[in-house]
Amino acid sequence: MTDCERAHILVVDDDPLTRMMATEALREGGFAVSEAEDGVQALALFDAALPDLVLLDVMMPGLSGFDVCRRLRCLPAGRLVPVIMLTGLDDGESVERAFDAGATDFISKPINWTLLRFRIRYVLRSAEAMQELSRSQESLSNAQRIARLGSWEWGVKTGRVRRSAQFYRLFGCDREDFGEDMDAVVEHVYGPDRSAVQAALASAREGVGFQLTYRVVWPDGSVRTVQETVEPARRDDGRGAGGLVMEGSVQDITEQVDAQRRIRQLAYFDHLTGLPNREYFRENLLGATARGLRYDSRCAVMVVDIDRFARINDSLGPERGDQVLQLIAHRLRENMGDRLPAEAAGGSYATRFRVARLAADEFGVLVNDVNSVADLLDTAERLLQVVRAPIRVPGQEITLSARIGVAVMPDHATDADALLKAAETALNHAKRGRGDPLALFSEDMKVAAFLRFTLEGDLRRAIGEDEMRMCYQPIVDIRLRAVVKAEALLRWPHASRGAVPPPEFISLAEETGLIVPLTRCVLEKVCADLIRLEHRLAPDFRISINLSGVNFMDAQLIPTVREVLALTGVAASRLEFELTETVLMRDLDHATAILAQLRDMGVRVAVDDFGTGYSSLAYLRRLAVDALKIDRSFVNELDDGQGVAIVEAVIGLAHSLGLEVVAEGVETVAQLEALCRRGCHLIQGYLFAMPMSCEALADMLGSAFFIPEEVLPLLPPAGAD
Ligand code: C2E
Ligand code: CA
Ligand code: CA
């Protein structure tokens, strides 16, 4: 993997935004990147720089991605270079054409930028395997050239056998120890292959030639594979006068057989985990669906995706990430080891489950002979458990979670590819939802996937036509009994679909790069509202704005903030940005530089969803942040006493670093009490206020609000501060 990290990627896309995003994402992943904005430039760059991988957009003016791919394949250096094509979502035809043009893999847009580099690493690794494969084919033909052949001649009537000296060497024997007559060879043949050899010799006795591969056992016990070719001898050399003479040649092909096995291994099995790869999985699936149709049985596909695996790689390093994948692969294989009796598999002995690695952190399980969907879901549930079991890595214990999409043949699809796709659609559904990690395919999901596709266009339009609305959720200081801050939360009242949930459109905006204009639009709206509210605001009142990772990596972030502040006349001290730990930790040098600039300007920074990532105290100390926001999930757990330790630790940490600490998602008096008791006084949550319009916020700023009686004793008397 270390080699891959320095790999050079050529990004070809006519859309400057996608190009920029890809470049950012890849540089961040440790790759060297060159960019080309059209096919002609791409071909020239390829020639000059010989990149290790090409990321190629399908739709480009001039030479299309397909043309470029085809031309690359004609170049000597381009024959084996991996080419990943970027196609539209659900654009089956393009995918087909991409593969026809010689593409190695494809990624459908919108692109998941975080996963992109892992996908690329994965493809680079398979490319290495392909290259190794062609090298081993080469050495194989060399081996054949220098292979030593043994030969013999057998007068069938006389029973006389003449064998070459080399022949005996193939059996690891001396002439004296081998035995004299033709049948002596049988003694040297590996038990299970003897009957085949005897049958072949019997037919040779009748003058019938044969070619047979069998194994021989050397006196030292080692087993070699030989190939024997036998023909009746030519009659015109005079020797045949006494009757039938057979001639044979024997070749040791052990290396060749091993190499074939290895080639198969390379082509069909994943390097890292030893599991079958996607290719092989697909072949199994073709077999299973064909059997299913013939014997009227059902089979199913489950696709398992490890949650936030990118994060494991980021925080523990790619080597540990690999080890974790190996362990998961091992567990899946161990737990899915049931076998089917031969009859149920339609005659051939097939395993009930087949596990494969489909992509970086995606595994597939083929289930033969499904009895009931309920059984199947039980199995999927078991898979989830298997992934969830804690993993010990040096110094810590981590717990992974996974999501599973399931599809059944013939219920959801009748051919292999459609079945796999249905399972992946179900998986995507499980990934987008916040709830059940297990999803069984339904037609609705196909519709939903299509809707998401169209949602991208709608989002683009909504930003342009100013359809987005801002709302604000007050943050109260319980000691002051006052609203001291508010978090700006975006709303999208979609004309035909109703309100689109923020996580849905935010992730879509991140994947498509639309988050950059979207955040600018948020910044402008918030500043306009701040101006409107200015006369009612206390001097230190702030509004916080959420920034996504893409925003944080955007080189235009700081200039944009400066520009909008200057245009609207809002003071930088009115703003705060919320960034998650993961975003901040991803590139510490970058984070340090950006945070310093924000601090210089007077814009504050809060760490959002604190406690859910892997940040360390040392890093936190280095970064110029001003506040921590305790994640809602921990506050939620306060009710049953669970989250107490974490909440206490976060509050202690914040205090020791001199940071402000805000609790999010406070819904109950009991939670409020627990927080106050531990010294957290900044509270955000439905207990006090839902996100509201700017006007409603203005009203709330002026009025006193209800404080639950239970917490009164924990507070300084009103007005004492
Ligand atoms: P977040 O930053 O963690 O925002 C807090 C979310 O918790 C908001 O959800 C808020 O409505 C919800 N919430 C607040 N109090 C409570 C409570 O007491 N109980 C419960 N159950 N929920 C509470 P919302 O508005 O749906 O936003 C979801 C996420 O979408 C936000 O999570 C944030 O990550 C993202 N988001 C929203 N607006 C923006 C934006 O303008 N830019 C960016 N980049 N992300 C945004
Ligand atoms: Ca937030
Ligand atoms: Ca949050």
Side-chain angles (χ1 to χ4, degrees):
M1 184 158 284
T2 35
D3 279 342
C4 298
E5 273 170 5
R6 273 176 281 111
H8 178 187
I9 316 290
L10 173 60
V11 176
V12 190
D13 198 319
D14 58 314
D15 175 27
L17 193 60
T18 313
R19 240 172 26 235
M20 183 197 81
M21 302 274 304
T23 303
E24 285 299 346
L26 293 175
R27 292 229 166 99
E28 192 185 321
F31 297 102
V33 184
S34 331
E35 297 181 22
E37 58 183 20
D38 59 38
V40 175
Q41 201 180 4
L43 289 167
L45 258 174
F46 183 87
D47 231 17
L50 296 181
D52 299 296
L53 183 145
V54 182
L55 200 59
L56 183 56
D57 187 27
V58 163
M59 300 285 290
M60 290 188 295
L63 280 182
S64 76
F66 307 118
D67 297 329
V68 176
C69 186
R70 253 190 296 275
R71 288 191 195 190
L72 278 179
R73 289 302 181 220
C74 295
L75 299 173
R79 204 169 54 87
L80 287 177
V81 73
V83 176
I84 302 183
M85 296 212 112
L86 306 175
T87 63
L89 186 73
D90 279 344
D91 184 358
E93 204 208 348
S94 292
V95 172
E96 197 91 57
R97 285 184 63 194
F99 281 116
D100 283 345
T104 316
D105 200 354
F106 71 93
I107 294 179
S108 55
K109 288 182 172 182
I111 297 162
N112 179 331
W113 298 108
T114 328
L115 280 186
L116 175 66
R117 60 190 142 124
F118 295 106
R119 183 80 169 263
I120 285 194
R121 261 188 217 153
Y122 186 73
V123 170
L124 280 171
R125 234 190 258 162
S126 333
E128 237 171 68
M130 281 305 290
Q131 278 150 16
E132 201 171 314
L133 186 132
S134 85
R135 274 198 293 278
S136 91
Q137 263 165 341
E138 221 172 272
S139 68
L140 183 121
S141 65
N142 278 343
Q144 275 172 340
R145 190 161 45 78
I146 58 174
R148 295 166 305 170
L149 284 158
S151 59
W152 52 257
E153 210 179 270
W154 176 26
V156 175
K157 285 263 160 59
T158 60
R160 234 185 83 199
V161 186
R162 282 213 325 240
R163 299 181 170 108
S164 71
Q166 183 58 36
F167 176 91
Y168 297 105
R169 254 170 250 155
L170 299 181
F171 290 79
C173 268
D174 292 333
R175 185 188 295 264
E176 298 75 50
D177 304 329
F178 191 84
E180 295 234 323
D181 57 7
M182 195 58 215
D183 290 332
V185 69
V186 175
E187 288 297 304
H188 300 270
V189 174
Y190 184 59
D193 297 348
R194 279 187 189 167
S195 54
V197 172
Q198 277 162 334
L201 286 180
S203 60
R205 207 177 285 281
E206 308 298 321
V208 183
F210 64 86
Q211 186 171 59
L212 185 68
T213 300
Y214 58 91
R215 288 161 294 178
V216 301
V217 184
W218 283 26
D220 67 2
S222 58
V223 176
R224 316 269 313 165
T225 305
V226 297
Q227 190 174 60
E228 184 159 46
T229 309
V230 175
E231 283 168 4
R234 293 181 306 267
R235 294 275 149 187
D236 54 1
D237 64 353
R239 283 179 300 166
L244 177 63
V245 173
M246 299 298 283
E247 280 178 351
S249 65
V250 184
Q251 186 182 19
D252 186 317
I253 57 164
T254 311
E255 274 77 31
Q256 191 177 334
V257 169
D258 285 352
Q260 266 161 2
R261 193 172 300 136
R262 200 165 146 59
I263 285 170
R264 194 182 128 74
Q265 183 76 22
L266 286 170
Y268 280 121
F269 290 85
D270 167 51
H271 247 6
L272 182 68
T273 60
L275 288 178
N277 62 15
R278 193 179 191 100
E279 203 63 38
Y280 194 27
F281 187 71
R282 193 171 162 268
E283 280 188 13
N284 281 171
L285 197 53
L286 286 168
T289 47
R291 262 201 311 278
L293 290 177
R294 192 155 3 111
Y295 297 98
D296 200 18
S297 63
R298 295 207 282 180
C299 66
V301 169
M302 306 198 249
V303 184
V304 185
D305 181 278
I306 310 294
D307 286 343
R308 289 172 294 193
F309 189 75
R311 192 141 98 185
I312 303 281
N313 258 330
D314 280 349
S315 59
L316 302 179
E319 257 128 67
R320 285 254 183 286
D322 282 357
Q323 287 169 1
V324 168
L325 285 174
Q326 284 169 333
L327 182 74
I328 296 289
H330 176 74
R331 284 185 184 172
L332 291 178
R333 196 169 26 203
E334 290 289 291
N335 282 277
M336 295 287 123
D338 302 12
R339 290 184 153 250
L340 261 190
E343 318 81 66
S348 68
Y349 193 84
T351 39
R352 171 100 202 259
F353 300 110
R354 281 184 179 278
V355 182
R357 185 174 182 215
L358 302 184
D361 57 349
E362 203 177 287
F363 296 91
V365 180
L366 164 62
V367 187
N368 281 301
D369 203 50
V370 172
N371 301 318
S372 71
V373 171
D375 271 1
L376 189 64
L377 295 182
D378 278 351
T379 307
E381 200 57 60
R382 201 167 86 219
L383 273 178
L384 287 173
Q385 303 287 333
V386 164
V387 176
R388 276 190 211 126
I391 295 174
R392 249 178 294 281
V393 294
Q396 59 182 311
E397 195 177 82
I398 55 175
T399 311
L400 295 180
S401 55
R403 276 157 208 280
I404 300 189
V406 183
V408 183
M409 193 215 82
D411 313 40
H412 303 137
T414 47
D415 72 79
D417 290 330
L419 185 61
L420 184 55
K421 192 161 183 336
E424 283 180 330
T425 303
L427 173 66
N428 278 333
H429 183 85
K431 284 206 261 192
R432 302 228 182 281
R434 303 237 134 183
D436 200 350
L438 181 62
L440 182 65
F441 176 82
S442 73
E443 281 300 318
D444 293 354
M445 290 178 186
K446 224 152 118 186
V447 176
F450 178 72
L451 282 180
R452 189 172 162 81
F453 175 56
T454 58
L455 198 61
E456 181 185 341
D458 289 0
L459 180 60
R460 208 176 284 276
R461 201 209 58 240
I463 296 171
E465 293 177 7
D466 198 23
E467 221 173 87
M468 303 301 215
R469 293 284 162 263
M470 226 51 241
C471 68
Y472 300 94
Q473 188 175 30
I475 299 172
V476 306
D477 185 328
I478 185 90
R479 283 170 312 185
L480 304 180
R481 297 161 167 77
V483 176
V484 292
K485 300 164 87 155
E487 175 172 1
L489 292 164
L490 199 53
R491 294 291 175 260
W492 183 11
H494 191 286
S496 56
R497 270 185 221 185
V500 185
E504 194 171 315
F505 69 79
I506 295 290
S507 69
L508 180 64
E510 284 171 344
E511 285 164 18
T512 52
L514 284 171
I515 191 74
V516 171
L518 188 61
T519 300
R520 185 187 171 107
C521 149
V522 168
L523 204 55
E524 285 169 352
K525 285 180 186 299
V526 168
C527 285
D529 285 340
L530 273 167
I531 292 294
R532 210 163 334 137
L533 294 176
E534 182 61 37
H535 61 287
R536 321 177 63 146
L537 300 179
D540 51 0
F541 182 89
R542 283 175 190 267
I543 291 186
S544 63
I545 292 178
N546 291 287
L547 290 188
S548 90
V550 180
N551 293 133
F552 197 60
M553 295 314 291
D554 175 14
Q556 289 307 306
L557 175 67
I558 300 282
T560 304
V561 174
R562 276 190 216 284
E563 187 192 330
V564 174
L565 287 178
L567 282 173
T568 53
V570 167
S573 60
R574 287 274 183 227
L575 285 189
E576 181 166 307
F577 286 132
E578 297 190 6
L579 287 149
T580 65
E581 286 172 274
T582 326
V583 167
L584 287 170
M585 300 301 150
R586 202 171 286 155
D587 180 348
L588 270 184
D589 293 332
H590 178 76
T592 313
I594 297 287
L595 294 190
Q597 291 183 61
L598 288 173
R599 179 162 283 187
D600 282 348
M601 287 167 68
V603 177
R604 299 198 350 171
V605 171
V607 187
D608 207 357
D609 306 343
F610 191 80
T612 57
Y614 287 96
S615 66
S616 83
L617 178 59
Y619 290 159
L620 206 53
R621 203 172 265 144
R622 233 182 89 180
L623 293 174
V625 298
D626 304 280
L628 303 184
K629 297 190 78 173
I630 305 176
D631 189 62
R632 195 160 78 225
S633 57
F634 302 122
V635 172
N636 205 11
E637 284 175 354
L638 279 175
D639 283 331
D640 46 26
Q642 274 200 329
V644 173
I646 293 180
V647 167
E648 223 158 54
V650 175
I651 296 172
L653 181 65
H655 286 164
S656 75
L657 294 175
L659 304 180
E660 197 171 72
V661 56
V662 180
E664 295 192 304
V666 180
E667 292 180 355
T668 67
V669 174
Q671 290 164 355
L672 176 66
E673 201 183 328
L675 288 159
C676 282
R677 216 177 269 289
R678 290 173 177 81
C680 175
H681 301 108
L682 293 170
I683 307 292
Q684 176 182 2
Y686 296 167
L687 178 65
F688 287 116
M690 307 272 283
M692 55 182 72
S693 67
C694 178
E695 292 70 32
L697 177 69
D699 290 344
M700 193 163 167
L701 287 175
S703 55
F705 56 88
F706 168 76
I707 302 250
E709 227 168 88
E710 290 87 336
V711 297
L712 284 175
L714 302 172
L715 304 177
D721 209 85

